[in-house]
Amino acid sequence: GAVVSQHPSRVICKSGTSVKIECRSLDFQATTMFWYRQFPKKSLMLMATSNEGSKATYEQGVEKDKFLINHASLTLSTLTVTSAHPEDSSFYICSADRDSSTDTQYFGPGTRLTVL
Amino acid sequence: GESVGLHLPTLSVQEGDNSIINCAYSNSASDYFIWYKQESGKGPQFIIDIRSNMDKRQGQRVTVLLNKTVKHLSLQIAATQPGDSAVYFCAESFSGTYKYIFGTGTRLKVLA
């Protein structure tokens, strides 16, 4: 299989605090992981590409200092939403590329962030 | 910019009937296409994929058709079941970029 987990599944925080979301590939190693954001009834929007051992590549319009990404190992990438505000409330989903030769991404279950 | 779009935002089908979900893509350089199923509050689930050197690929109860001439992708679900109710997304990619561009999604409702 190709199982990707995320933790936490839901988080509620106060405005101004930082929240860390973990993405793990459970049964494979992933050199590359991706972070998406999804608004209600909308499609997935790629935020950044996380590369193990190097800096993440951010999509245009995504603030690097706002959304900190760390890919410290081949099975773990983290997304930290810094100084969160209500407009950061969203569904955050990660994916992992199990085999670079196939380009297939496997997605985590998502994390619902609510900022009060 | 390049985009992937869907013709129907909502599709309602009777249980047991076949479903066809369509997707148009605009990047002629894309060579890898994927269909995902997303249930409410969950992450996308891989259904089936196809590369640009093929025009049809079959899985279990699902078939993906690719028409590169008109840049059109479709997902056919045979004998649609209540458990098929979800939002379906198509995505396109170009080999080596690892980046997906997702379509807007189609909600499939299966009527009993």
Side-chain angles (χ1 to χ4, degrees):
Chain A
V3 181
V4 178
S5 70
Q6 281 184 242
H7 177 80
S9 57
R10 289 177 178 270
V11 57
I12 301 173
C13 69
K14 294 182 178 180
S15 185
T17 61
S18 294
V19 175
K20 179 184 284 187
I21 303 170
E22 293 185 348
C23 176
R24 293 182 186 273
S25 56
L26 298 184
D27 54 356
F28 65 99
Q29 293 183 329
T31 304
T32 306
M33 290 184 172
F34 304 85
W35 287 96
Y36 294 83
R37 183 173 180 175
Q38 186 178 32
F39 291 102
K41 299 182 180 181
K42 297 294 183 181
S43 188
L44 284 76
M45 180 189 75
L46 179 64
M47 299 175 64
T49 302
S50 173
N51 301 295
E52 188 268 336
S54 63
K55 292 183 178 181
T57 303
Y58 290 81
E59 294 301 300
Q60 190 173 10
V62 178
E63 299 177 58
K64 300 178 182 181
D65 296 332
K66 176 74 172 176
F67 300 99
L68 300 179
I69 290 172
N70 183 274
H71 195 154
S73 76
L74 288 172
T75 59
L76 174 64
S77 176
T78 60
L79 168 68
T80 301
V81 183
T82 63
S83 186
H85 292 285
E87 58 266 28
D88 297 324
S89 298
S90 193
F91 194 51
Y92 292 88
I93 309 172
C94 72
S95 70
D97 189 343
R98 182 179 70 174
D99 183 346
S100 61
S101 66
T102 65
D103 296 324
T104 304
Q105 294 180 27
Y106 294 90
F107 285 80
T111 296
R112 173 74 59 194
L113 171 63
T114 302
V115 184
L116 303 177
Chain B
E2 302 291 356
S3 65
V4 177
L6 294 173
H7 299 299
L8 297 173
T10 302
L11 176 65
S12 296
V13 297
Q14 290 289 335
E15 181 179 355
D17 287 352
N18 296 333
S19 303
I20 300 176
I21 302 172
N22 297 302
C23 176
Y25 65 95
S26 58
N27 186 354
S28 57
S30 292
D31 59 3
Y32 181 57
F33 306 88
I34 319 96
W35 281 101
Y36 285 92
K37 171 186 179 183
Q38 187 178 29
E39 297 176 343
S40 181
K42 297 183 180 180
Q45 177 187 354
F46 174 86
I47 300 174
I48 193 168
D49 60 358
I50 189 169
R51 294 203 174 271
S52 59
N53 60 351
M54 302 173 68
D55 53 20
K56 179 179 180 179
R57 190 162 188 227
Q58 289 184 295
Q60 188 176 12
R61 279 202 309 120
V62 295
T63 301
V64 55
L65 299 177
L66 175 63
N67 186 330
K68 295 180 287 294
T69 302
V70 295
K71 298 195 206 102
H72 185 266
L73 191 68
S74 69
L75 176 69
Q76 300 179 1
I77 303 174
T80 311
Q81 302 169 0
D84 294 327
S85 293
V87 177
Y88 289 80
F89 291 98
C90 65
E92 63 175 303
S93 181
F94 179 70
S95 294
T97 66
Y98 310 114
K99 291 171 60 173
Y100 286 5
I101 298 173
F102 277 86
T104 54
T106 293
R107 179 172 298 280
L108 176 65
K109 292 184 177 180
V110 181
L111 307 174

